[in-house]
Amino acid sequence: MKSVGIIMGSDSDLPVIRKATDMLTSLAIPFEVHVFSAHRTPVEARDFALNARRNGFGVLIAAAGMAAHLAGAIAANTTLPVIGIPCASAYLDGMDALLSTVQMPTGIPVATVAVNGGGNAALLAAQIIAVEDADLAAKLDAKRASDAAAVLAKDTRISAEFAGVQA
Ligand code: RP5
């Protein structure tokens, strides 16, 4: 199975990345995690992207906050699919990172998930790998079914709680 390369701009992004690594671990998908910054360590970030395909990665996740150019800088140096996670910082609630990550020019796409969306980034990476992996696709189908069952259980509980209440 191809592995997922995860890059974060700073170790302060780690809580968001943990949501992704927890999800990938639960699906038994191999991954590697690095701290490379588009601004502070641009050479290392570029080298990682340039070598990612030959190093066995099938998809990359890049998380950064503030002027979040990491996902775009990674995407500029590989044709592997790149998933961007905008991370919220102390100011602007992540809007700065969201716009910096999502507004890529034609030719260099970044699939941007929600602000702090580490879980969905991992699931999207899993779905990309599952295009060529029937076992993983079956696991993702089973997860969808169990997630839906959990929501329906909440419906049963909440609707019962309010069943006797008159407006
Ligand atoms: C970005 O700047 C990082 O991705 C992080 O979200 C933000 C702040 O970094 P630190 O100052 O916490 O290292 O490049």
Side-chain angles (χ1 to χ4, degrees), residues 84-99:
I85 311 175
C87 296
S89 59
Y91 309 100
L92 304 178
D93 290 332
M95 186 60 82
D96 45 358
L98 173 62
L99 296 179

Side-chain angles (χ1 to χ4, degrees), residues 43-68:
V43 173
E44 288 77 5
R46 174 177 175 273
D47 287 350
F48 181 84
L50 285 174
N51 295 316
R53 188 181 294 275
R54 94 175 60 99
N55 284 337
F57 296 108
V59 52
L60 304 178
I61 294 173
M66 303 180 74

